[in-house]
Amino acid sequence: MLTLLTDPESIYVDRIHDVVVLRQGGAEAAAHERVYEELVAALAERAPSLRLHPHVWEHDDPTDHAAIFEYLRALLPRIRRQFQERELVIHLSPGTAAMHTVWALMAATGFIEPPFTAVQSFRAGERRGRPAVVPLGLEVGTFFRRWQATRPVATEEGERAVWDPRQFRSTRLRDLYDEARRVARLKVPVLLLGERGTGKTTLASWIRLRSPFRKEKQDQAWPAVPCGQYTSETMRAELFGYVKGAFTGANREHEGLLARANGDTLFLDEIGDISRELQRLLIKVLEEGSYQPLGSTDVLRTDLRLLTATNLPRDALRKQLDPDFLDRIRSFTLTVPPLREIQDELVWLWPVVLEAAARRSGAPTRYARLAEPQHAQIVRALRADPLPGNVRDLFRVAYRFLAARADDDAPLPIKDAVDYALQALDGGAPDLAEASSRNLARAFADRVALAPDLLEDGPLDPERLIADFKRWFAQQVPGLSERTGRPESELTRMNERTLRNWRRKEDAGVPE
């Protein structure tokens, strides 16, 4: 460390201002603490202007590759957020060989977000003609590096830009992408279901990049159609192409996406908006691989794999699409869960969205930095909200926060800006006690372990949750009775007096 930071031959002397120091805890914590204190003392003498940011890895085995990787995978995004847009210098020399290996592989395979440089240092007696500090350059063409560079053309990029499969925490999302990886090798149509803003475009890119149906030269913009943005006529022209003179304004020949997708993948987003006429034409493409451009008598061929996506529920999709067409596009169906069902992802997704919102809105990136207490407060509020727009709801909160902070005339303090931002949620800024009850109820419904951040608002109070549930249940029964035409006594085992008391009392949990 001293070689990197203070040796006169190091190119980084006086260029580094903040130093993130990772040290081991566990059974040997006292010994590592003494080494850290020696480092602090030496730096105070040789480079007093350096700011140190210590982190302790609570683990006993410094050769446990898997544990090192999981620790760094969770920590690195936080460090990246703390030092946004600044170059990270990853010093590989300290630590065990296992630590060095994990760092080097993460740097080479795309797990560390740029800009960064990985370096090794050598003490004076070990240099043998080498510089004091040398960069490590392992340019490995990994899947993640390729995935970062790909995107479908002509589809909305807002949600695609923030989803990062490397950071997934929930078993459900990991299982979904495992299933997508398995089907990616097969040339069968895949239908992606999910609410708006859940990352269906990201999943489509993942499938294409994992498959043999990909032309590398089209990675920057591969064939895709947002069906809802086209009329039936213009979409047919976009897909099938046309010859000169095919219709008014057709002044030149146009190659359609079916031709561009030959040997690659075609993505039809919002497939529920496609016309019945186009559905019939696409059935022929899927069955025979043949089609005719508009205004042409020539029959052309294409060999493509079709991906489709929709935010319509299954029943609504069945009404919108011809049964024969629906059968052909859903040889394999994948369902992307809404955020309210994978709340573990909010911990990393929210700060990524805030940074993306700052870039897209032109707000200074310094306003996208939140201290951990405010970050935790927003995540708790997001957990308590149904988030019907999923990532788009997160963007609305982010834009509102940035507007409050970037106001040159009267910027709001951080605390007020957070409250102001949360008003973007459909239910407004949630009451913290109510939010705690909702999160507790979701954990029970999903049969998942209680998350430690539920304690941020104080001790858990199941009695409040029970009281809230009683009141909600009692208020729902009359409406259910009206909709079904059945008396309340047939709908529940609770008698009328009990339901009346639950509806009337301020605290339905008071013993009767």
Side-chain angles (χ1 to χ4, degrees):
M1 289 287 285
L2 294 177
T3 297
L4 174 75
L5 299 171
T6 67
D7 192 299
E9 294 186 21
S10 170
I11 62 173
Y12 289 101
V13 170
D14 298 328
R15 289 179 55 197
I16 292 176
H17 307 289
D18 293 271
V19 181
V20 177
V21 183
L22 312 183
R23 70 178 189 271
Q24 192 175 339
E28 302 294 328
H32 292 289
E33 175 70 19
R34 286 194 298 272
V35 174
Y36 175 69
E37 289 174 353
E38 292 174 6
L39 175 66
V40 171
L43 289 176
E45 178 182 345
R46 304 184 194 185
S49 63
L50 285 176
R51 294 182 293 267
L52 300 185
H53 307 269
H55 291 267
V56 178
W57 178 49
E58 296 294 351
H59 199 76
D60 292 334
D61 185 358
T63 66
D64 187 337
H65 291 77
I68 296 168
F69 173 78
E70 289 300 327
Y71 173 69
L72 292 178
R73 188 170 71 157
L75 179 63
L76 280 171
R78 291 165 49 196
I79 295 175
R80 181 75 277 175
R81 293 195 300 270
Q82 185 178 1
F83 303 105
Q84 291 180 27
E85 300 179 0
R86 291 170 62 182
E87 181 182 1
L88 302 180
V89 178
I90 309 296
H91 192 201
L92 302 172
S93 296
T96 64
M99 294 174 183
H100 187 130
T101 300
V102 172
W103 273 116
L105 287 174
M106 293 184 84
T109 56
F111 272 88
I112 304 176
E113 183 181 344
F116 74 89
T117 302
V119 301
Q120 292 177 271
S121 63
F122 300 95
R123 297 183 180 91
E126 302 172 342
R127 292 175 193 169
R128 300 170 189 168
R130 294 174 295 191
V133 178
V134 297
L136 176 75
L138 293 178
E139 290 300 324
V140 181
T142 65
F143 167 77
F144 280 117
R145 287 187 182 276
R146 297 196 306 273
W147 180 78
Q148 287 173 316
T150 67
R151 66 181 181 88
V153 67
T155 59
E156 186 175 350
E157 284 293 293
E159 295 79 34
R160 159 78 167 89
V162 299
W163 287 101
D164 186 350
R166 292 168 299 184
Q167 299 201 53
F168 289 169
R169 297 186 173 197
S170 61
T171 300
R172 190 165 174 190
L173 265 191
R174 290 175 177 173
D175 288 348
L176 171 66
Y177 273 68
D178 282 343
E179 193 172 9
R181 187 194 68 250
R182 284 191 287 270
V183 73
R185 305 294 303 176
L186 307 178
K187 198 179 81 170
V188 295
V190 181
L191 172 62
L192 309 179
L193 302 178
E195 298 176 6
R196 64 187 192 275
T198 51
K200 298 186 293 296
T201 301
T202 301
L203 183 56
S205 295
W206 175 273
I207 292 172
R208 173 185 175 269
L209 198 59
R210 288 278 186 176
S211 78
F213 317 109
R214 163 181 168 253
K215 293 179 179 177
E216 190 171 346
K217 64 181 181 181
Q218 295 195 146
D219 281 352
Q220 294 297 317
W222 54 280
V225 180
C227 303
Q229 297 180 22
Y230 289 89
T231 65
S232 176
E233 293 77 15
T234 56
M235 184 173 171
R236 180 176 178 183
E238 185 70 16
L239 282 173
F240 289 78
Y242 52 84
V243 298
K244 183 178 179 180
F247 51 84
T248 303
N251 299 321
R252 57 180 177 79
E253 185 173 312
H254 173 71
E255 181 185 59
L257 291 182
L258 293 182
R260 284 188 55 196
N262 186 30
D264 205 315
T265 298
L266 174 66
F267 179 40
L268 299 183
D269 200 7
E270 305 169 42
I271 190 64
D273 293 327
I274 195 171
S275 70
R276 293 285 177 132
E277 179 188 8
L278 273 178
Q279 292 176 42
R280 289 191 292 272
L281 291 173
L282 285 172
I283 287 176
K284 185 176 180 66
V285 175
L286 292 174
E287 286 189 339
E288 302 175 10
S290 62
Y291 68 97
Q292 287 179 281
L294 281 171
S296 173
T297 58
D298 294 335
V299 177
L300 305 183
R301 300 197 61 79
T302 184
D303 182 22
L304 58 84
R305 197 265 284 281
L306 181 67
L307 302 177
T308 58
T310 182
N311 56 31
L312 293 176
R314 290 174 186 262
D315 291 343
L317 190 63
R318 291 190 184 96
K319 295 177 182 178
Q320 292 285 99
L321 298 183
D322 181 275
D324 288 338
F325 181 66
L326 180 58
D327 286 345
R328 285 167 173 81
I329 66 172
R330 61 170 184 171
S331 298
F332 213 97
T333 301
L334 299 175
T335 300
V336 185
L339 278 178
R340 61 183 171 274
E341 296 178 7
I342 48 171
Q343 295 184 354
D344 286 351
E345 309 299 340
L346 289 169
V347 175
W348 68 266
L349 189 57
W350 159 249
V352 171
V353 167
L354 182 58
E355 293 168 16
R359 291 193 299 270
R360 289 164 57 180
S361 66
T365 55
R366 66 180 182 275
Y367 293 124
R369 295 167 190 161
L370 275 175
E372 194 59 34
Q374 286 77 39
H375 167 72
Q377 179 185 349
I378 291 179
V379 170
R380 293 198 304 276
L382 295 174
R383 285 178 181 270
D385 194 89
L387 300 176
N390 296 286
V391 171
R392 299 177 194 179
D393 287 334
L394 271 60
F395 270 102
R396 289 194 295 117
V397 173
Y399 287 137
R400 195 171 173 91
F401 175 80
L402 293 169
R405 292 293 290 159
D407 183 353
D408 291 335
D409 296 325
L412 294 182
I414 286 283
K415 183 179 183 302
D416 294 339
V418 169
D419 293 338
Y420 179 78
L422 292 176
Q423 292 173 17
L425 298 175
D426 289 342
D431 172 79
L432 289 181
E434 182 181 348
S436 178
S437 287
R438 289 183 186 177
N439 290 329
L440 197 60
R442 284 205 178 97
F444 171 75
D446 295 338
R447 292 296 194 272
V448 298
L450 293 177
D453 61 4
L454 291 178
L455 300 172
E456 295 286 346
D457 300 318
L460 301 178
D461 182 11
E463 290 297 334
R464 159 117 191 198
L465 172 60
I466 294 169
D468 287 345
F469 176 77
K470 287 181 178 180
R471 188 178 301 109
W472 172 83
F473 179 80
Q475 291 170 346
Q476 291 294 313
V477 169
L480 182 61
S481 174
E482 183 178 341
R483 289 190 296 274
T484 61
R486 297 168 60 184
E488 293 184 17
S489 59
E490 293 182 7
L491 302 179
T492 174
R493 292 174 179 163
M494 300 295 103
N495 59 50
E496 183 180 351
R497 178 173 175 271
T498 298
L499 293 175
R500 188 168 58 250
N501 286 340
W502 286 358
R503 284 193 291 266
R504 184 176 61 224
K505 290 179 181 177
E506 287 297 315
D507 182 2
V510 173
E512 308 232 355

